[in-house]
Amino acid sequence: MPTAKRAMRREDLLEFQWVRGFDISPDGSRIVYGREWIDSKDNKYYANLWMYDRANDRHTQFTHGKHKDHSPVFSPGGTQVAFCSSRDKQNGIYLIGTEGGSERVVLKQRGSIGGVSWSPDGTQLLFMYRAPYIEPASESAEDVKKSEEAPVYRHIKRLFYRLDGDGWRPADGFHIWRYDLTRSRAVQVTRGKYEESEPVFSPDGKSIAFTTNRRKDPDRDMQYRDIIICDLSGKKERKIAKPDGPVGGLSFSPDGKFLAYIGHDNPHDAWGATNDNLWVVPVKGGRTKNLTRKFDTTLTDPSITDMGEVGHGAHGPIWSADSRHLLFTAPRHGSNDLYTIRRTGGAPRLVAGGKWDVQAIRADRARKTLAMVVCDTKSGGDLWTLEFGKEKKASPRKITDVNRRLFRQIDIGVPQQVWFKSYDGTKVQGWLLHPPKFNARRKYPAIVEVHGGPRAMYGWGLFHEMQYLAASGYVVFFTNPRGSQGYGEDFTRSIVGNWGGPDYEDVMAGTDALCKLPYIDRKRVGITGGSYGGYMTNWVVGHTHRFKAAVTQRSVVNLVSFFGSSDVGYDIKDEFLATPWDKFEELVRMSPLTYVKNIRTPLLILHNENDLRCGIEQAEELFGCLKYLGRTVEFVRFPEEPHGLSRCGRPDRRMARLQFMKEWFDRYM
């Protein structure tokens, strides 16, 4: 007899595995992928590479050891794989034959390495490199130890001098390098005071295209990015004419005549309110064409779960072999699907859609087979393939099930989709996650979850936190209020300069719809959220007393102090339409701290001490005020952790966070 499945546990987080970086061989016969896992004894994440042979449907572990092997890419001939790895406190590029064997180090040094790709002839590797904040004078143990210690002082001259999850930014940023495999030497391609990113070889291998911001003050004008083409030495630079605005997912057409990218033409955009579109520009000069202006959704992935870092950025569009079509992903109503469009324009065509989040895509040389990482309600991220032909719709096939052994034991809840009307008649999407062995004749307490961003999107991805809270006896309700992506630009833009306006009304309308369900105990409803979701939690409890308990996480409470304390706080003008010296009263009006005296709901504050996005002082201000007022409040600080603790923090701290949340709701609900 099959064993009865049990409910999700907090400790199950330690047993999860995730598919991360991957690539498909040029002939489409193999797929190499990273498989990340947690070592509970070491309290760390590790990742090794695996190889999937499509002919015999077999997976083989390809690298071993307690390393973080990631970002694998096949050589043009398909005989080798280059990958990045962190070993001995250094980052490096390694090579391994596709038939297996020992990997060999190509380059290993301190600092950050990424964006590795092959030249078309397989003789060179292109990559990004940035030196560490403090570089050791030598590799002696004494010098290395000294470089790891805090310096005597930090002399700050830049506006953008630190980044959450990354730390202090070195004086010299990322530049482009190439490694000549025939001569075994690294060559620096770009240098100077400006940073570069996303380097790609042209199909003939004679030039390199990349993106950069060369404004007088790139820190202030962050969304002005140019496309530059240079020769392999970094000389003979040529700027590609395009509208001002951001650029992502740079991709040459196979015939070398065009560059495609994801971006928009509004360099003074609020935080992601303008739709990112698919653009094509002739390499030799000519008119830049926006292919998706009438396709009312952004082309970046806003889906959010706790299975990995939020936001998967702009997938590089994939060209057809004849350079006449492009494949891309786009979000819609909680899903992130595959579309294709002609290079000359027209309406996009849905290739494959469903209740899923297509997080990344790769294609073989013939553009006949696609490999994808997909997250859905039953997976934290697995590999899929898709035979991409001329038929109207393709049939994807799941080829990994990395959490199969764990999920055989667990009753994974499938969210129930709901739509409700807000105060002005606008339809808002949400999902209900019921406890295991749900009985509609019973009464259940409920927890309302609010996502961060605010330009993120809840959807069909697996959420360990929500599964755990549902398994603890709560109905979990999560929605996409205004400000979310996936519902058109007007829906997304509607909260610009008005946080706490229609977004708050949507959250409350969703709560009203929740409380009308006969199995919900309307006297036992709580609310929680992180980042912008924490902001909204603070805002809600400052404007209503209907929630029994609340947990605010890595939140914002004071938009005035946020301006100077956040790593990107100085960029708030276009989002809030105000600065501390201009329309100061608007920042005060939109700050939850302004309404702190109204808070009566028992509030648990969770915050991370190394959070550079929403600094720890935000939580300190809120806690200090509420404690002084004699309200029911507690404050939990997580040392060393950045903004993304819930997704990539140290495993024991992630579990502690979940325990504090559950115990708070259990105590007051």
Side-chain angles (χ1 to χ4, degrees):
M1 292 180 63
T3 305
K5 290 189 175 184
R6 60 173 175 79
M8 180 74 79
R9 297 170 182 163
R10 181 178 61 112
E11 295 77 11
D12 289 326
L13 175 66
L14 301 177
E15 304 302 321
F16 270 88
Q17 294 190 29
W18 300 272
V19 173
R20 296 307 192 202
F22 69 104
D23 195 21
I24 186 169
S25 63
D27 64 1
S29 65
R30 298 179 180 183
I31 298 173
V32 62
Y33 61 97
R35 195 160 168 170
E36 187 175 77
W37 49 285
I38 293 174
D39 186 303
S40 55
K41 291 183 179 179
D42 292 353
N43 204 23
K44 291 181 179 179
Y45 301 86
Y46 297 114
N48 300 122
L49 300 185
W50 289 65
M51 185 72 76
Y52 173 63
D53 189 320
R54 297 183 66 218
N56 57 28
D57 195 28
R58 185 173 65 193
H59 297 264
T60 305
Q61 187 169 351
F62 214 54
T63 65
H64 299 78
K66 291 183 176 181
H67 311 300
K68 292 202 76 169
D69 303 331
H70 60 95
S71 307
V73 283
F74 278 101
S75 63
T79 59
Q80 296 185 90
V81 171
F83 65 95
C84 297
S85 188
S86 302
R87 307 182 183 190
D88 304 320
K89 295 184 178 182
Q90 296 186 74
N91 292 308
I93 301 174
Y94 295 77
L95 288 181
I96 186 170
T98 50
E99 298 304 320
S102 299
E103 60 264 35
R104 68 181 180 90
V105 63
V106 172
L107 180 74
K108 188 168 74 169
Q109 56 195 71
R110 301 182 192 281
S112 301
I113 295 174
V116 177
S117 64
W118 290 83
S119 63
D121 63 3
T123 64
Q124 300 185 73
L125 293 170
L126 196 63
F127 64 97
M128 303 296 303
Y129 172 72
R130 185 186 68 186
Y133 185 75
I134 300 176
E135 205 161 0
S138 72
E139 285 301 310
S140 70
E142 183 179 351
D143 284 343
V144 169
K145 182 180 179 181
K146 187 176 181 180
S147 71
E148 293 173 346
E149 296 174 352
V152 177
Y153 57 83
R154 291 187 173 94
H155 189 176
I156 308 300
K157 296 182 180 180
R158 289 185 59 178
L159 184 61
F160 184 33
Y161 62 91
R162 56 183 184 159
L163 177 65
D164 184 71
D166 193 27
W168 303 98
R169 293 172 60 80
D172 195 20
F174 277 104
H175 294 300
I176 301 169
W177 290 66
R178 58 183 174 86
Y179 190 90
D180 189 329
L181 293 168
T182 61
R183 299 182 180 182
S184 300
R185 68 187 184 99
V187 179
Q188 186 170 356
V189 177
T190 62
R191 50 176 48 83
K193 67 176 183 178
Y194 298 107
E195 289 191 84
E196 297 84 27
S197 62
E198 295 197 82
V200 288
F201 275 113
S202 61
D204 63 7
K206 295 180 180 179
S207 57
I208 297 168
F210 59 90
T211 72
T212 184
N213 184 334
R214 295 189 175 175
R215 303 278 290 184
K216 183 178 180 181
D217 188 349
D219 294 352
R220 288 197 58 176
D221 297 328
M222 290 196 296
Q223 297 199 69
Y224 285 85
R225 295 203 68 82
D226 294 318
I227 300 173
I228 305 290
I229 292 181
C230 67
D231 63 15
L232 300 191
S233 67
K235 300 176 181 178
K236 299 181 181 179
E237 284 192 355
R238 178 167 58 89
K239 180 179 174 181
I240 298 292
K242 60 171 280 294
D244 288 336
V247 176
L250 199 61
S251 176
F252 272 103
S253 60
D255 62 12
K257 295 180 179 180
F258 299 92
L259 276 165
Y261 68 91
I262 305 296
H264 59 69
D265 54 2
N266 181 14
H268 295 287
D269 182 30
W271 292 340
T274 301
N275 285 341
D276 280 306
N277 295 128
L278 174 57
W279 301 72
V280 171
V281 56
V283 170
K284 292 186 177 180
R287 186 172 67 92
T288 304
K289 188 175 182 63
N290 183 345
L291 302 184
T292 59
R293 189 177 294 278
K294 295 181 180 180
F295 189 52
D296 191 15
T297 189
T298 192
L299 301 195
T300 51
D301 183 4
S303 304
I304 184 171
T305 73
D306 57 1
M307 293 289 100
E309 268 298 346
V310 63
H312 310 287
H315 305 321
I318 292 178
W319 289 88
S320 61
D322 61 7
S323 301
R324 296 174 63 183
H325 295 79
L326 295 105
L327 189 78
F328 62 93
T329 68
R332 180 79 71 182
H333 298 175
S335 298
N336 199 50
D337 298 323
L338 281 169
Y339 295 84
T340 187
I341 193 170
R342 293 192 303 273
R343 188 199 71 222
T344 54
R349 175 175 66 85
L350 180 67
V351 174
K355 296 177 179 179
W356 62 358
D357 170 24
V358 179
Q359 296 181 337
I361 50 177
R362 301 286 186 272
D364 63 355
R365 183 180 289 122
R367 273 62 168 184
K368 294 288 181 66
T369 303
L370 297 179
M372 312 180 292
V373 169
V374 174
C375 185
D376 59 20
T377 57
K378 293 287 187 178
S379 166
D382 271 298
L383 269 176
W384 294 58
T385 57
L386 185 149
E387 298 303 320
F388 183 58
K390 295 182 179 179
E391 63 272 13
K392 289 186 178 180
K393 284 194 177 181
S395 298
R397 174 175 173 258
K398 186 176 180 179
I399 62 170
T400 66
D401 195 356
V402 296
N403 291 304
R404 182 180 180 184
R405 184 180 300 175
L406 175 64
F407 287 0
R408 277 179 173 176
Q409 309 169 36
I410 300 171
D411 184 5
I412 302 291
V414 177
Q416 174 189 330
Q417 180 181 223
V418 295
W419 288 83
F420 58 90
K421 286 186 178 181
S422 191
Y423 70 103
D424 59 355
T426 299
K427 289 186 177 180
V428 179
Q429 187 181 23
W431 290 264
L432 288 160
L433 186 60
H434 299 110
K437 299 179 181 178
F438 172 72
N439 183 346
R441 292 188 294 272
R442 286 184 51 192
K443 289 283 188 181
Y444 291 89
I447 297 173
V448 174
E449 291 255 12
V450 186
H451 67 62
R455 308 270 144 61
M457 178 184 77
Y458 279 139
W460 297 100
L462 180 69
F463 232 113
H464 172 259
E465 172 187 319
M466 294 184 185
Q467 294 285 338
Y468 171 59
L469 292 175
S472 302
Y474 297 96
V475 172
V476 182
F477 184 51
F478 49 106
T479 68
N480 287 331
R482 263 167 285 197
S484 305
Q485 290 281 15
Y487 306 89
E489 189 169 310
D490 288 346
F491 189 95
T492 302
R493 185 175 293 283
S494 61
I495 68 167
V496 173
N498 194 21
W499 282 28
D503 46 355
Y504 168 69
E505 298 292 349
D506 288 353
V507 170
M508 298 311 296
T511 304
D512 289 340
L514 171 70
C515 291
K516 288 178 182 177
L517 297 172
Y519 53 82
I520 297 297
D521 184 345
R522 64 187 65 185
K523 294 183 179 180
R524 292 191 295 157
V525 178
I527 186 169
T528 187
S531 194
Y532 164 81
Y535 167 95
M536 184 51 61
T537 298
N538 301 333
W539 185 271
V540 165
V541 296
H543 287 78
T544 179
H545 303 315
R546 68 182 298 180
F547 291 94
K548 192 73 172 176
V551 179
T552 183
Q553 308 168 55
R554 58 189 186 280
S555 71
V556 176
V557 297
N558 185 344
L559 295 178
V560 177
S561 60
F562 178 77
F563 182 95
S565 62
S566 170
D567 56 351
V568 294
Y570 59 85
D571 191 42
I572 72 173
K573 184 185 178 198
D574 294 318
E575 178 65 35
F576 297 101
L577 309 180
T579 62
W581 58 89
D582 184 19
K583 298 184 180 179
F584 172 87
E585 67 282 356
E586 282 296 286
L587 294 182
V588 173
R589 179 185 65 82
M590 287 183 277
S591 294
L593 195 66
T594 301
Y595 313 97
V596 68
K597 192 175 180 180
N598 301 334
I599 297 177
R600 301 282 177 175
T601 307
L603 183 65
L604 175 65
I605 302 170
L606 304 179
H607 216 101
N608 314 320
E609 292 186 347
N610 277 11
D611 189 335
L612 302 182
R613 183 61 38 83
C614 301
I616 189 70
E617 99 288 337
Q618 295 286 315
E620 292 169 340
E621 289 181 50
L622 181 60
F623 176 74
C625 290
L626 288 174
K627 200 67 180 174
Y628 182 85
L629 290 168
R631 305 295 152 76
T632 303
V633 61
E634 292 182 13
F635 184 15
V636 179
R637 303 167 63 113
F638 293 96
E640 303 176 320
E641 296 296 337
H643 194 61
L645 165 65
S646 64
R647 299 178 291 268
C648 56
R650 205 172 77 181
D652 58 350
R653 292 181 180 135
R654 290 179 69 179
M655 289 202 297
R657 167 187 166 271
L658 291 169
Q659 188 67 21
F660 275 112
M661 288 176 64
K662 177 185 177 298
E663 289 179 351
W664 189 262
F665 285 125
D666 287 350
R667 186 190 314 175
Y668 292 102
M669 290 169 54

